[in-house]
Amino acid sequence: NAGVTQTPKFRVLKTGQSMTLLCAQDMNHEYMYWYRQDPGMGLRLIHYSVGEGTTAKGEVPDGYNVSRLKKQNFLLGLESAAPSQTSVYFCASSETGGGRLNQPQHFGDGTRLSIL
Amino acid sequence: DAKTTQPPSMDCAEGRAANLPCNHSTISGNEYVYWYRQIHSQGPQYIIHGLKNNETNEMASLIITEDRKSSTLILPHATLRDTAVYYCIVKITNAGKSTFGDGTTLTVKP
């Protein structure tokens, strides 16, 4: 099992460019999440999804869009990148349903994004 | 989700037990306490979680006070590889989102 895989691992963008970050999980998890982490700070939730076809806003959703067309994939889009979006982006997934609502999150290794 | 308070940093000698405290005085009855750690630039790693009872696994032990307002993560024999930022998170059972604060930076010294 690969767990949670994020692509790309690194990217440099110019202000105003757009891009999509891909998160894939092979654990058949229902919930998926996107976080950002700025230097020296904890993780902040951008958007999350409780199942295929559903998304919800987290703590810092502005400037980002997400889609969950397939259960195993969660995409994070930046329509017009800004220097303030320079950060490390982490994706996570967790199992839920039945008696397993308290299961922990499994994280990917992150995407390091720089906006010039 | 209840807020948590952790000390910003702690040191521990290699081979000794590391005891990391977390205060969650506003925790509600259906909220679990989770611990994660993040080793330099990697994705956070799940360690342990619990509701009321103390828990132990191959990585650590979790001690939750009887009133559930605080907890302690114990790494019984800390190694240099345990140097990391440790996050204590409290969340309800059926909510997907979690709030990660600034955590405690644990430095294990030889």
Side-chain angles (χ1 to χ4, degrees):
Chain A
N1 277 350
V4 177
T5 303
Q6 293 184 232
T7 53
K9 296 189 185 306
F10 304 93
R11 181 63 64 91
V12 178
L13 292 178
K14 294 182 179 179
T15 298
Q17 287 185 315
S18 63
M19 80 161 295
T20 300
L21 281 63
L22 172 64
C23 177
Q25 53 95 3
D26 61 4
M27 297 172 283
N28 201 36
H29 285 173
E30 289 290 339
Y31 281 33
M32 296 187 74
Y33 320 78
W34 275 107
Y35 294 87
R36 63 176 287 175
Q37 185 173 34
D38 298 327
M41 298 179 66
L43 282 74
R44 292 185 292 170
L45 183 66
I46 305 171
H47 286 280
Y48 65 103
S49 168
V50 301
E52 182 179 318
T54 71
T55 62
K57 293 181 179 180
E59 183 184 355
V60 288
D62 294 341
Y64 305 94
N65 56 75
V66 288
S67 64
R68 183 96 182 269
L69 299 179
K70 294 183 179 180
K71 185 177 182 179
Q72 63 268 33
N73 296 335
F74 196 28
L75 278 63
L76 178 71
L78 286 73
E79 290 185 348
S80 180
S84 61
Q85 294 177 304
T86 294
S87 191
V88 181
Y89 292 85
F90 289 102
C91 176
S93 70
S94 64
E95 184 178 3
T96 188
R100 303 181 65 80
L101 296 177
N102 59 334
Q103 294 307 299
Q105 296 179 28
H106 299 261
F107 285 82
D109 290 332
T111 294
R112 282 145 186 81
L113 184 61
S114 292
I115 315 295
L116 304 179
Chain B
D1 301 342
K3 295 293 185 184
T4 61
T5 303
Q6 298 177 254
S9 64
M10 294 181 63
D11 291 341
C12 178
E14 188 178 19
R16 303 296 294 271
N19 298 284
L20 292 90
C22 180
N23 180 283
H24 32 80
S25 58
T26 61
I27 193 170
S28 61
N30 61 347
E31 289 184 309
Y32 282 73
V33 180
Y34 293 80
W35 283 84
Y36 291 81
R37 72 181 183 184
Q38 188 173 25
I39 298 173
H40 182 61
S41 300
Q42 297 177 18
Q45 175 190 26
Y46 164 76
I47 301 173
I48 198 168
H49 74 284
L51 182 63
K52 298 185 210 179
N53 301 322
N54 298 338
E55 302 287 345
T56 296
N57 62 20
E58 65 279 3
M59 290 183 67
S61 295
L62 173 61
I63 308 298
I64 303 174
T65 57
E66 192 170 342
D67 64 6
R68 302 187 71 238
K69 293 185 177 182
S70 65
S71 61
T72 301
L73 177 74
I74 301 172
L75 308 177
H77 304 287
T79 71
L80 298 178
R81 290 180 295 179
D82 291 321
T83 292
V85 179
Y86 287 77
Y87 296 99
C88 169
I89 296 160
V90 171
K91 74 184 187 83
I92 64 177
T93 57
N94 60 351
K97 53 184 179 177
S98 301
T99 300
F100 284 73
D102 293 333
T104 296
T105 299
L106 174 69
T107 303
V108 180
K109 297 184 175 180

